Amino acid sequence: MSSGLWGYEGTEGYAAATDLTGYRVEATDGHIGKVDKHTEDVDTAHIVVDTGPWIFGREVLRLAGTTSRVDTAEKTAWVNRTKDEIKNSPEFDRDQHTDHRDYHDRLDG
């Protein structure tokens, strides 16, 4: 696993090889959606959050380092961002997320 924003190192309750797909996602101010995709890839570890009807079915990529806590029994992941921060974050782009450094730089910002 990688460190910093693109790694799960500081995430309470997270164990390597835990598949977060399908987990409920909670922002600091309430429920925001569910994990549609999860990866532990070095330097690109992240979750893709499907916001469902809350933001008209939008998917957003959240860097692994924004995941503050995971509860495997409750199948819930908490991110240290508000609903508005998630709403205003870049939309997940399946064609760019793994191969384009400028996309990663936008997400880091």
Side-chain angles (χ1 to χ4, degrees):
M1 288 192 296
S2 60
S3 60
L5 286 175
W6 291 97
Y8 291 100
E9 278 73 24
T11 304
E12 177 186 336
Y14 183 78
T18 300
D19 185 4
L20 301 178
T21 305
Y23 275 42
R24 177 181 176 90
V25 179
E26 295 288 329
T28 57
D29 55 353
H31 178 69
I32 190 65
K34 69 177 182 72
V35 177
D36 186 52
K37 182 179 185 244
H38 158 255
T39 181
E40 294 179 322
D41 295 345
V42 174
D43 295 329
T44 62
H46 64 271
I47 60 174
V48 175
V49 180
D50 179 349
T51 61
W54 191 76
I55 311 177
F56 307 109
R58 188 168 178 239
E59 289 184 327
V60 295
L61 188 145
R62 298 305 317 151
L63 285 66
T66 66
T67 306
S68 58
R69 183 166 59 112
V70 171
D71 185 327
T72 55
E74 296 293 323
K75 294 196 176 281
T76 302
W78 286 264
V79 294
N80 58 5
R81 298 293 186 266
T82 65
K83 288 180 179 182
D84 279 341
E85 287 174 310
I86 293 168
K87 180 180 177 182
N88 295 321
S89 63
E91 189 163 4
F92 175 60
D93 186 333
R94 291 184 188 276
D95 296 328
Q96 291 188 21
H97 87 278
T98 56
D99 298 329
H100 297 279
R101 188 76 238 166
D102 60 327
Y103 184 65
H104 286 200
D105 292 342
R106 275 192 325 169
L107 294 169
D108 281 341

